[in-house]
Amino acid sequence: MGTVHARSLDPLPMQGPELGVQADDMDLGEPEHEEKQEVLENKDVVVQHVHIDGLGRTKEDILTYEIADVFRAKSLIDVMKKSHEARQRLLRMGIFRHVEVVIDTAEGANALPNGLDVTFEVKELRRMTGSYNTMVGNNEGSMVLGLKLPNVFGRAEKLTFQFSYGTKETSYGLSFFKPQPGHFERNFSINLYKVTGQFPWSSLRETDRGVSTEFSFPIWRTNHTLKWEGVWRELGCLARTASFAVREESGQSLKSSLSHAMVIDTRNSTILPRKGALLKINQELAGYTGGDVSFLREDFEIQLNKTLFWDSVLSTSLWGGMLLPLGDKPSCIADRFYLGGPTSVRGFSMYSIGPQSEGDYLGGEAYWAGGLHLYTPLPFRPGRGGFGDLFRTHFFLNAGNLCNLNYGEGPRAHLSKLAECIRWSYGAGIVLRLGNIARLELNYCIPMGVQSGDRICDGVQFGAGIRFL
């Protein structure tokens, strides 16, 4: 036996070809090779060389960081494990179509008896790739066309152009992405974009033209993103029947803001998790880097998930946020919070809770929303082990409130106002998970605590999206 092959080390986390000795590789006529194999299996080994075959435009220096751990392996199993981890890191870079691993006994004049050579066989992505797909947002759908130039300068950079046409929003943008060598989680991006959106609940049309830069990095178990955004916003009325309050908001503004986001996510799935928790905190400060819009905005999201008996899952979530205008100008309708609809407080129409004028919803400067959910398998488990596992029965209880605050009052008065006129709802329905893309809900809702001006959806309500309360 002269070699130990481990092509495509998927078997460690997933199903795949078994690692180890292959019958076709054995040569029973060479007992000294059998002894060498026994040494590799029972004693420490040394990785002498690591090769990467198939490189074209990729620079070798950026790959050195990703494969360095392979040299630290001290046993054959450890070599396989660290080679698999290195393979996963290479694939994560988004510059290779596939990566395979071959582990062989070392050869040559300097070969040690327990020496190994590891070879990564890679195939790079084409210089230009195109894509066409559909995307589901919060109760809206979009057709997305993309053009991507991966590995532009040979160090995992990516240039992307994307055009999106949706039911409420049309956008196109150009982005450049650059990771830090050896630390792919630390990356920098710059984006140029134009977005035109329609918001019928406010009789408002908004067109944004902007540029943004982002720097993402991990700290311990948290992921952070620092962002600067400069955007020229143009607001207009969507209909002639728009209220005077919306007409007053029409016009142009320039927003320059700094923001920070922190995320801790231990969920096993972002769409329909069965266990784990999520904590997301965002801060945005506008006006101190230019522009004519000034505010401080804070919001958070918490979600906890626990698997119970009979394959059921209990989930609870809490959202909240506050917007503080800075200076003499009031807050802009485009910066406020909105609440209500099939993805937040169910049983109410889309964003139809809170301050309104002549039927147009104006948003609020403070809000909170909470939800308690029980997900269970379908009765009698039809399609168990297959298509039926994508469906879940859903029981829910939602509550929340959205309002404007008088910031001259104290925190106790603010909490008191947020506790007034609470809207809540309960009901049951069916949830369909669309892979890791989105989820669909069909619920029968019973809204409660309805206030004057709220629009309700009493009965069957359909929702589609990624982020649900």
Side-chain angles (χ1 to χ4, degrees):
M1 169 65 186
T3 61
V4 178
H5 290 283
R7 285 186 177 271
S8 183
L9 294 184
D10 282 342
L12 289 177
M14 299 176 289
Q15 293 184 351
E18 292 184 354
L19 301 181
V21 181
Q22 305 295 320
D24 294 341
D25 294 329
M26 292 186 179
D27 187 347
L28 301 178
E30 298 185 20
E32 66 276 7
H33 286 184
E34 291 182 0
E35 294 173 3
K36 190 173 184 180
Q37 175 63 27
E38 185 177 354
V39 169
L40 293 181
E41 290 179 346
N42 298 326
K43 296 186 179 181
D44 291 346
V45 299
V46 175
V47 177
Q48 291 190 260
H49 304 97
V50 176
H51 308 279
I52 302 180
D53 294 341
L55 294 182
R57 61 185 183 278
T58 304
K59 310 298 183 183
E60 290 188 11
D61 59 324
I62 194 174
L63 305 181
T64 303
Y65 300 98
E66 310 298 337
I67 64 175
D69 279 352
V70 177
F71 285 103
R72 301 186 181 97
K74 299 301 182 182
S75 67
L76 182 59
I77 296 300
D78 202 20
V79 171
M80 292 179 176
K81 179 181 178 181
K82 291 187 180 299
S83 296
H84 168 75
E85 293 171 351
R87 175 179 179 267
Q88 294 299 99
R89 289 194 293 270
L90 292 174
L91 288 171
R92 181 190 57 179
M93 297 174 72
I95 60 178
F96 299 119
R97 181 170 298 178
H98 66 258
V99 178
E100 292 188 348
V101 184
V102 176
I103 302 174
D104 203 344
T105 51
E107 297 179 353
N110 298 323
L112 299 174
N114 62 340
L116 294 178
D117 289 346
V118 179
T119 302
F120 292 90
E121 299 177 351
V122 303
K123 183 174 179 60
E124 294 179 338
L125 292 174
R126 290 177 293 182
R127 291 184 179 273
M128 181 181 297
T129 62
S131 63
Y132 165 79
N133 53 65
T134 56
M135 184 172 62
V136 179
N138 283 334
N139 233 37
E140 66 172 310
S142 301
M143 175 192 70
V144 182
L145 301 175
L147 188 65
K148 185 190 302 181
L149 280 69
N151 208 16
V152 180
F153 303 117
R155 290 186 171 87
E157 305 88 352
K158 181 169 61 178
L159 187 66
T160 305
F161 173 79
Q162 186 168 284
F163 170 77
S164 172
Y165 180 81
T167 54
K168 297 186 181 73
E169 185 176 283
T170 300
S171 67
Y172 56 84
L174 182 68
S175 66
F176 176 76
F177 172 86
K178 168 70 177 175
Q180 178 181 336
H183 300 279
F184 193 79
E185 298 85 358
R186 300 177 187 171
N187 53 73
F188 170 81
S189 64
I190 183 169
N191 309 280
L192 300 170
Y193 61 88
K194 178 182 177 182
V195 181
T196 300
Q198 297 182 359
F199 310 102
W201 47 85
S202 301
S203 299
L204 186 72
R205 177 188 291 110
E206 179 179 355
T207 300
D208 293 350
R209 302 172 181 88
V211 57
S212 67
T213 59
E214 296 183 21
F215 177 56
S216 300
F217 56 95
I219 298 179
W220 193 50
R221 296 182 180 179
T222 65
N223 293 305
H224 297 258
T225 300
L226 296 176
K227 179 179 179 180
W228 171 81
E229 182 179 36
V231 55
W232 171 30
R233 306 186 296 188
E234 187 175 359
L235 303 180
C237 297
L238 190 60
R240 293 182 179 180
T241 57
S243 64
F244 181 73
V246 172
R247 293 178 186 275
E248 278 189 316
E249 299 275 1
S250 299
Q252 300 178 357
S253 63
L254 182 63
K255 184 183 82 168
S256 176
S257 68
L258 296 170
S259 63
H260 167 257
M262 184 199 76
V263 179
I264 303 175
D265 193 351
T266 63
R267 299 174 299 173
N268 67 316
S269 169
T270 58
I271 303 301
L272 198 59
R274 301 176 60 84
K275 60 181 180 179
L278 168 70
L279 171 62
K280 185 183 296 184
I281 301 174
N282 298 289
Q283 304 96 24
E284 183 180 9
L285 177 63
Y288 279 78
T289 53
D292 55 9
V293 178
S294 297
F295 63 82
L296 175 64
R297 175 178 167 135
E298 300 266 354
D299 64 276
F300 70 90
E301 177 180 350
I302 300 173
Q303 185 185 100
L304 302 173
N305 303 280
K306 176 69 174 177
T307 301
L308 303 177
F309 49 86
W310 296 330
D311 199 25
S312 59
V313 176
L314 181 67
S315 177
T316 181
S317 57
L318 179 65
W319 298 354
M322 186 174 293
L323 174 69
L324 174 62
L326 302 177
D328 299 329
K329 288 186 177 181
S331 61
C332 176
I333 191 173
D335 298 317
R336 297 178 196 140
F337 300 104
Y338 292 83
L339 188 63
T343 60
S344 57
V345 182
R346 297 160 178 83
F348 292 80
S349 298
M350 199 70 178
Y351 301 141
S352 64
I353 290 177
Q356 57 94 22
S357 175
E358 302 174 32
D360 292 333
Y361 293 89
L362 308 178
E365 295 175 350
Y367 89 102
W368 69 271
L372 183 65
H373 306 264
L374 178 64
Y375 302 98
T376 66
L378 293 177
F380 309 112
R381 304 296 294 270
R384 185 174 184 176
F387 184 69
D389 288 345
L390 299 178
F391 292 86
R392 306 285 283 179
T393 306
H394 177 214
F395 304 92
F396 69 88
L397 173 65
N398 293 158
N401 194 13
L402 176 129
C403 61
N404 292 318
L405 300 179
N406 182 355
Y407 289 100
E409 301 174 344
R412 181 172 296 180
H414 296 168
L415 292 174
S416 177
K417 190 165 185 180
L418 285 169
E420 294 175 354
C421 307
I422 295 176
R423 285 80 162 179
W424 61 285
S425 64
Y426 63 95
I430 301 293
V431 176
L432 169 62
R433 176 173 58 86
L434 300 178
N436 290 319
I437 302 173
R439 86 188 208 194
L440 308 179
E441 287 190 4
L442 186 64
N443 296 313
Y444 188 87
C445 309
I446 302 175
M448 307 293 289
V450 180
Q451 303 299 312
S452 175
D454 293 346
R455 290 179 189 160
I456 63 172
C457 184
D458 190 0
V460 177
Q461 187 178 41
F462 174 79
I466 301 172
R467 181 175 179 255
F468 284 79
L469 177 67

